[in-house]
Amino acid sequence: MAAQDGDELFDIFDRSGKPLGQRKARKLVHRDGDWHRSVHVWVILERGSDGRRTDAEPWVLFQQRSPDKDTWPGAFEVAVSGHYRAGEDLAEALREAEEEIGLPLAPGDVIRLGTRRSRDDHAPGIVDCELQDVLLATTRRALAAFRPDPDEVTALLSLPLNAALRLARGEVVSVSGLMRQAPDAAGAVTIAPRDVRLDEFVDSRDGYYERALESIRRRVAGEPHALWTLG
């Protein structure tokens, strides 16, 4: 599977999320700046890199995008990020989790954090206008047990929740986490420490990372929280 299929069909919406009854190829949607739906799944790890359950602070999973992606190649971002294909509902769109990182998910496995409207025109010739369903999943799977698709995901990064939040807020220049690299020729998986800076992530000038991570922190702590709309 390629990093993206330019002929993949998307349903088209207006900015408010009203369907326009049209379908267009991905490459044309990104050329013309049409609003289309996508799904973001934040993932919390309940087990450490060694597979043992941890009662300490939870860790947040991120993916490193393939260098062949048409937008933000090589950048870190949310664990699962993909588009709704034309005619898909949430249950079908969650296929992205298994396709990208090898984590099967159904609607009952996720909770909604909020909704985001995102317009990104940083790449020449691409205007990516997304209506993002922002969701959260929790897994007992260890970092080494994920199976990212090498055509879409270069590596997986896990960060302590509070450290990730401090980074998103700009309170620190970098934080330390663990990076799962792609298997070597013998199939061995390497996990090693990795320091990461905010400028290594997909750019988010609207405060998206801080908003989502704060929602996750509140939920983990059992504090009141509400659905939000960003953008």
Side-chain angles (χ1 to χ4, degrees):
M1 181 178 178
Q4 61 270 317
D5 178 4
D7 294 322
E8 186 177 30
L9 291 178
F10 296 159
D11 291 316
I12 305 304
F13 300 81
D14 67 14
R15 189 179 184 278
S16 70
K18 178 182 177 181
L20 299 180
Q22 302 175 33
R23 293 180 174 181
K24 291 175 66 173
R26 174 191 179 115
K27 60 189 176 185
L28 301 181
V29 167
H30 284 171
R31 181 197 68 185
D32 299 339
D34 296 307
W35 288 97
H36 55 289
R37 294 183 69 195
S38 68
V39 60
H40 279 200
V41 184
W42 292 76
V43 175
I44 289 289
L45 304 180
E46 287 188 336
R47 295 183 183 270
S49 60
D50 57 3
R52 292 182 297 178
R53 187 178 180 88
T54 175
D55 294 323
E57 171 185 13
W59 287 52
V60 184
L61 186 68
F62 298 89
Q63 65 162 269
Q64 184 178 31
R65 293 168 64 83
S66 163
D68 297 322
K69 284 288 190 179
D70 55 358
T71 58
W72 298 104
F76 292 106
E77 70 158 340
V78 181
V80 177
S81 171
H83 295 89
Y84 284 79
R85 293 172 182 160
E88 282 191 327
D89 59 15
L90 177 60
E92 294 166 315
L94 284 173
R95 63 178 162 72
E96 291 282 358
E98 187 165 13
E99 290 178 2
E100 291 188 356
I101 64 173
L103 179 65
L105 291 175
D109 300 321
V110 297
I111 60 172
R112 182 176 293 274
L113 298 177
T115 303
R116 181 190 185 209
R117 296 186 187 92
S118 173
R119 184 182 187 277
D120 183 359
D121 61 357
H122 82 282
I126 295 178
V127 182
D128 189 10
C129 295
E130 296 187 2
L131 301 165
Q132 298 170 353
D133 291 326
V134 184
L135 312 171
L136 174 65
T138 301
T139 179
R140 295 179 179 179
R141 185 175 298 201
L143 183 58
F146 287 90
R147 294 292 178 265
D149 178 354
D151 288 329
E152 297 208 53
V153 178
T154 298
L156 295 175
L157 172 74
S158 63
L159 297 176
L161 174 57
N162 288 321
L165 187 52
R166 290 196 298 272
L167 184 68
R169 289 172 173 165
E171 297 174 354
V172 292
V173 175
S174 67
V175 295
S176 297
L178 293 172
M179 176 86 94
R180 179 203 185 279
Q181 300 288 354
D184 61 20
V189 173
T190 300
I191 295 178
R194 173 68 149 84
D195 291 341
V196 63
R197 305 181 312 275
L198 189 58
D199 63 9
E200 295 182 80
F201 287 76
V202 171
D203 191 28
S204 174
R205 299 178 185 178
D206 59 358
Y208 171 51
Y209 294 132
E210 182 178 355
R211 177 69 67 89
L213 288 166
E214 175 61 19
S215 290
I216 295 170
R217 185 200 67 77
R218 286 178 174 272
R219 177 168 287 275
V220 168
E223 298 177 5
H225 57 88
L227 296 177
W228 41 265
T229 298
L230 189 63

